Amino acid sequence: MSISTGTARARQSLPVEPEAGSRRLNTAKALQEAIGSQMEQDDSVFVMGEDVAAYGGIFSSTTGLLEKFGPQRIIDTPISESAFIGLGIGAAVEGMRPIVELMFVDFFGVCMDQIYNHMAKIHYESGGNVRVPMVLMTAVGGGYSDGAQHSQTLWGTFAHLPGMKVVVPSNPYDAKGLMTAAIRSDDPVVYMFHKGVMGLAWMAKNRRSIGAVPEQDYVVPIGKAKVVREGSDVSLVTLSLSVHHSLDVAEQLAGEGISVEVLDLRSLVPLDREAVIATATKTGKVIVVDEDYQSFGLSGEIAATIAEHDPALLKHFSRVCVPDVPIPYARELEYAVLPTAARIEAAVRTAVTA
Amino acid sequence: MTMETTEVTADLSTGQRLALLREMILIRTFEEAVLREYHADKSPGFDIGKGLIPGEMHLSAGQEPVAAGLCAHLETGDALTATHRPHHLAIAKGMDLRSLAGEIFGRESGLGHGRGGHMHLFDPATHFSCSGIVAEGFPAALGQAFAFQRAGTSNVAAAVAGEGAANAGPFHESLNLAALWKLPVIFVIEDNDWGISVARNASTSVPTNAVRAAGYGMPGVRVEGNDVEAVHAAAGEAVARARAGGGPSLIEVHTLRLWGHFEGDAQGYRPELADVPGRDPIPAYQRKLRDAGLLSEADLAEMEGEARTRVEDAVEHAKAAPAPNPAEALKYVFVEGE
Ligand SMILES: Cc1ncc(C[n+]2csc(CCOP(=O)(O)OP(=O)(O)O)c2C)c(N)n1
Ligand SMILES: [Mg+2]
């Protein structure tokens, strides 16, 4: 395997958010396509993780790649997360571009030292002399009764720790563009896909998990949010699967003359603070919809961002998050704590009358 | 340190043999009922989040010999930690079937009042627990053994996990610490040849995990053949050693994952799939006992009938139990009044 082509590749520019065209894919296929295309062009890219080869990834992030690239580049690992994530870091330091899958983000507990003390800090500690061009790809989120150890999003935890970029696509177009950008980035990128946006046949899905995706390579820039629906009364600042629910609510309330803007953050690190301030300035009423735990996380960061810019900007602020409780198993309990469309709708109604 | 292949036909009484079979039949009957209920309302198609039993479901069919053979030596006060595939061990440890079924159905009547689910069973009555994070049951067993040792009891702790888990750091850290402090722990590896889709020879650098015991200064044995009597013999030795203050042991059992890793797993990665049903340990053990003249058709019918009655009672009880109250979703985060 050649190990020196990575950095040069990353500097070649690709189209930025081109027209989507008419070809429709689900998010899983869009993600696989981004990995496959970058692997074809750069033989320093490889994929490693549990059940990524013959199985194709438990949530289909790598389906078909073993057949295309073989077991030297699509590599099943033992259940040894510290070892293989650390191996990814070492390989990246030597110029390879590993895409390492942590099957569920919930498992970060067994390997976090490699992630936050090593992957995230080496570039800084080396005074910029050593790069770690690695993608840590992981499944997040609940809604299907997988219990407290398999349903978390935890993006706030990763975003809190300096030195790694964090991206969280909500749809097929962004999934491809952000994965392409992540592979080509010279920084470590944590790529978090919600199981519920992948379009899996065996899980309930929103129609937004299928969408138009260009066949060509392109990037969605890391650190750039997107207004996915314009509105004037209230802003929903959100990400990942909650974008789907937020858009559903916005569409429904439009019929009643309530105009809801939806901002899809897409990246948490770096956070597009300008986009947050812009939507807050426009509506003056902000609701953060976040499937992560409420306290000490993203929703507070959004409030702080706006307040630091102009404390007088907001007429209303609220959050629809997971109250600070482990994700319950029983459906009745889980749906009481997830940011459901019903909770979002109630929050919007409160905001417009505030 | 030993690395032997056990093919002992242990010196068991007929009563003990029939008890092992009875336990295995109860477990299988339970797993078949969960299988039936799990799939009953997930169609058309298969939606993992739908139905009376939603979520991931890892069933233990084929691994009954491990649970029956090990737990025959465990007392109520002994601890047992298990994994994402916990039902066989929970049942053999003596967990109340209604509480177990209630939790699997996510009911208020469940062991964890529907908060935990099938991978998160915590039973103070039987000192049983499990975790959905691979290999994380090993350290907890050490702590329970430590508490028993400090309390001056002869109780022991058993930690059971798959061959996949034996490649995770906590397994190795736990073996060292248990041996160093001579803790009364029995490590049991269920080698069912697969960690989801990854074959054991693609994940494990040694031919059997029994050899790893030597590296940590404890005895290790491998039990071949998914043979409940051989498990019983090996576990008997290890439990006795631990109770007598002789420290930890490791047992690896070559067992069988009769069904998929989880329900919905098409197992396309598994080349030996066609042979799997023929390796079912329960009919094999029945045949053995029948051929030896120890098991009559009437005995078997009675065992199966009893298992069916107990299991269907548990399932009916779970179905009739109320769902947890959504207004109480935040209950149990902390101890009330603290
Ligand atoms: C730390 C961690 N990594 C990965 C997983 C995902 N996972 C769940 S079960 C499993 C395979 C376990 O194999 P094994 O230990 O052999 O047990 P078996 O399923 O065969 O009973 C994996 C990889 C997990 N739950 N925890
Ligand atoms: Mg296994």
Side-chain angles (χ1 to χ4, degrees):
Chain A
M1 263 183 267
S2 144
I3 59 164
S4 56
T5 52
T7 312
R9 293 285 178 186
R11 292 204 191 97
Q12 288 171 7
S13 63
L14 285 177
V16 176
E17 301 200 55
E19 282 299 314
S22 60
R23 184 189 61 144
R24 293 169 64 77
L25 296 179
N26 69 19
T27 302
K29 289 216 175 71
L31 174 52
Q32 296 152 18
E33 187 170 282
I35 296 172
S37 179
Q38 293 308 299
M39 286 187 70
E40 271 166 18
Q41 297 165 43
D42 183 345
D43 62 10
S44 71
V45 180
F46 67 100
V47 178
M48 183 173 52
E50 290 154 18
D51 305 283
V52 298
Y55 200 102
I58 295 298
F59 300 102
S60 300
S61 54
T62 58
T63 309
L65 295 178
L66 174 69
E67 291 71 15
K68 256 191 227 138
F69 299 103
Q72 291 297 312
R73 297 183 71 195
I74 306 294
I75 309 169
D76 271 340
T77 62
I79 308 170
S80 310
E81 286 88 355
S82 277
F84 72 74
I85 290 174
L87 189 157
I89 296 166
V93 159
E94 292 298 333
M96 297 186 82
R97 292 187 170 262
I99 302 166
V100 185
E101 179 163 278
L102 175 63
M103 189 188 291
F104 289 69
V105 74
D106 312 66
F107 308 157
F108 85 96
V110 303
C111 51
M112 195 58 164
D113 192 71
Q114 288 297 330
I115 298 168
Y116 91 108
N117 265 333
H118 297 87
M119 185 184 86
K121 291 180 180 167
I122 286 174
H123 187 255
Y124 183 79
E125 289 173 324
S126 72
N129 287 321
V130 179
R131 294 178 181 186
V132 188
M134 160 168 164
V135 182
L136 181 67
M137 166 167 79
T138 189
V140 305
Y144 61 102
S145 291
D146 215 355
Q149 297 176 339
H150 289 75
S151 302
Q152 302 166 94
T153 59
L154 297 176
W155 41 58
T157 301
F158 286 78
H160 179 66
L161 300 163
M164 45 192 163
K165 295 187 168 162
V166 179
V167 301
V168 189
S170 71
N171 60 61
Y173 183 99
D174 291 348
K176 180 172 175 182
L178 282 170
M179 178 50 85
T180 304
I183 295 169
R184 297 165 68 95
S185 168
D186 283 343
D187 287 313
V189 179
V190 182
Y191 184 102
M192 310 178 95
F193 61 83
H194 199 297
K195 302 148 207 169
V197 308
M198 293 293 266
L200 303 172
W202 46 278
M203 200 175 277
K205 52 196 157 296
N206 191 286
R207 61 188 161 83
R208 294 178 178 82
S209 59
I210 299 172
V213 179
E215 298 198 28
Q216 65 180 131
D217 291 333
Y218 62 94
V219 294
V220 167
I222 296 173
K224 214 167 165 321
K226 185 176 184 185
V227 175
V228 289
R229 183 184 174 94
E230 302 260 1
S232 54
D233 294 332
V234 184
S235 302
L236 296 176
V237 175
T238 185
L239 72 172
S240 191
L241 181 63
S242 295
V243 173
H244 299 194
H245 303 320
S246 296
L247 287 170
D248 288 345
V249 170
E251 278 174 14
Q252 179 209 328
L253 293 181
E256 297 179 27
I258 300 174
S259 173
V260 178
E261 178 146 305
V262 180
L263 180 69
D264 182 349
L265 291 171
R266 304 197 294 188
S267 294
L268 293 190
V269 179
L271 181 64
D272 190 346
R273 296 182 199 272
E274 277 176 28
V276 171
I277 290 164
T279 194
T281 305
K282 185 173 176 188
T283 66
K285 296 182 176 185
V286 170
I287 300 168
V288 181
V289 184
D290 178 11
E291 200 181 309
D292 206 347
Y293 302 123
Q294 174 161 313
S295 300
F296 310 102
L298 170 65
S299 57
E301 187 62 29
I302 298 297
T305 297
I306 300 165
E308 282 176 341
H309 172 75
D310 178 0
L313 201 58
L314 285 178
K315 295 193 285 286
H316 177 87
F317 179 84
S318 67
R319 10 188 197 176
V320 180
C321 307
V322 174
D324 303 319
V325 59
I327 308 291
Y329 166 67
R331 186 185 297 115
E332 294 81 0
L333 300 174
E334 185 181 19
Y335 276 84
V337 307
L338 288 176
T340 54
R343 285 182 64 204
I344 299 166
E345 182 190 332
V348 172
R349 290 188 187 282
T350 303
V352 290
T353 56
Chain B
M1 293 298 112
T2 51
M3 200 297 280
E4 59 201 42
T5 296
T6 311
E7 279 173 24
V8 192
T9 303
D11 197 11
L12 292 171
S13 69
T14 303
Q16 284 175 307
R17 291 190 157 107
L18 294 180
L20 291 173
L21 178 61
R22 183 183 296 277
E23 193 72 75
M24 295 201 292
I25 287 174
L26 176 64
I27 294 166
R28 179 65 59 83
T29 306
F30 187 88
E31 295 296 59
E32 284 173 344
V34 175
L35 183 74
R36 179 191 75 212
E37 296 297 329
Y38 182 81
H39 288 287
D41 46 11
K42 282 190 177 51
S43 48
F46 172 83
D47 179 347
I48 190 171
K50 260 177 72 176
L52 274 182
I53 307 178
E56 273 186 75
M57 182 53 63
H58 315 83
L59 296 172
S60 65
Q63 302 186 186
E64 295 90 349
V66 182
L70 169 66
C71 293
H73 301 285
L74 298 182
E75 297 163 4
T76 306
D78 294 329
L80 177 55
T81 69
T83 67
H84 56 284
R85 197 181 304 289
H87 300 167
H88 56 324
L89 296 159
I91 291 169
K93 189 68 177 65
M95 187 181 288
D96 174 58
L97 292 187
R98 285 183 171 185
S99 303
L100 173 60
E103 193 59 26
I104 293 169
F105 278 82
R107 298 307 167 114
E108 191 59 41
S109 64
L111 200 53
H113 306 296
R115 270 69 175 173
H118 108 104
M119 288 188 271
H120 310 290
L121 305 166
F122 296 89
D123 186 15
T126 58
H127 299 260
F128 180 91
S129 66
C130 56
S131 172
I133 308 296
V134 165
E136 293 294 320
F138 295 118
L142 261 55
Q144 291 176 292
F146 179 88
F148 298 151
Q149 198 182 51
R150 285 298 164 100
T153 74
S154 63
N155 280 123
V156 302
V160 184
E163 89 295 336
N167 299 312
F171 171 73
H172 296 271
E173 296 182 23
S174 298
L175 259 65
N176 178 61
L177 191 51
L180 182 69
W181 291 355
K182 271 203 159 204
L183 295 170
V185 181
I186 300 93
F187 296 95
V188 180
I189 298 300
E190 299 182 292
D191 174 11
N192 61 10
D193 293 322
W194 295 94
I196 312 186
S197 71
V198 180
R200 67 155 293 140
N201 63 7
S203 71
T204 307
S205 62
V206 288
T208 102
N209 280 297
V211 303
R212 286 176 158 165
Y216 299 100
M218 71 177 75
V221 296
R222 163 110 169 161
V223 175
E224 284 296 348
N226 209 12
D227 173 353
V228 67
E229 294 189 6
V231 175
H232 186 275
E237 236 176 76
V239 170
R241 181 160 40 238
R243 279 204 209 291
S249 314
L250 173 70
I251 301 167
E252 178 167 75
V253 183
H254 193 193
T255 186
L256 174 72
R257 198 185 79 198
L258 195 57
W259 301 337
H261 170 72
F262 40 34
E263 286 313 304
D265 175 5
Q267 303 194 80
Y269 53 81
R270 200 170 172 183
E272 93 285 19
L273 205 52
D275 302 337
V276 168
R279 289 161 55 203
D280 188 334
I282 295 183
Y285 194 49
Q286 287 171 5
R287 226 175 296 119
K288 177 174 164 174
L289 295 186
R290 214 185 283 117
D291 292 351
L294 303 177
L295 176 73
S296 69
E297 288 311 311
D299 290 338
L300 187 59
E302 183 273 326
M303 285 182 198
E304 290 175 343
E306 187 207 30
R308 210 175 309 117
T309 304
R310 290 185 60 192
V311 166
E312 295 307 329
D313 166 76
V315 169
E316 284 317 309
H317 190 265
K319 285 181 167 176
N325 178 358
E328 293 186 344
L330 272 53
K331 197 172 167 186
Y332 307 120
V333 176
F334 293 112
V335 174
E336 226 159 284
E338 285 293 300

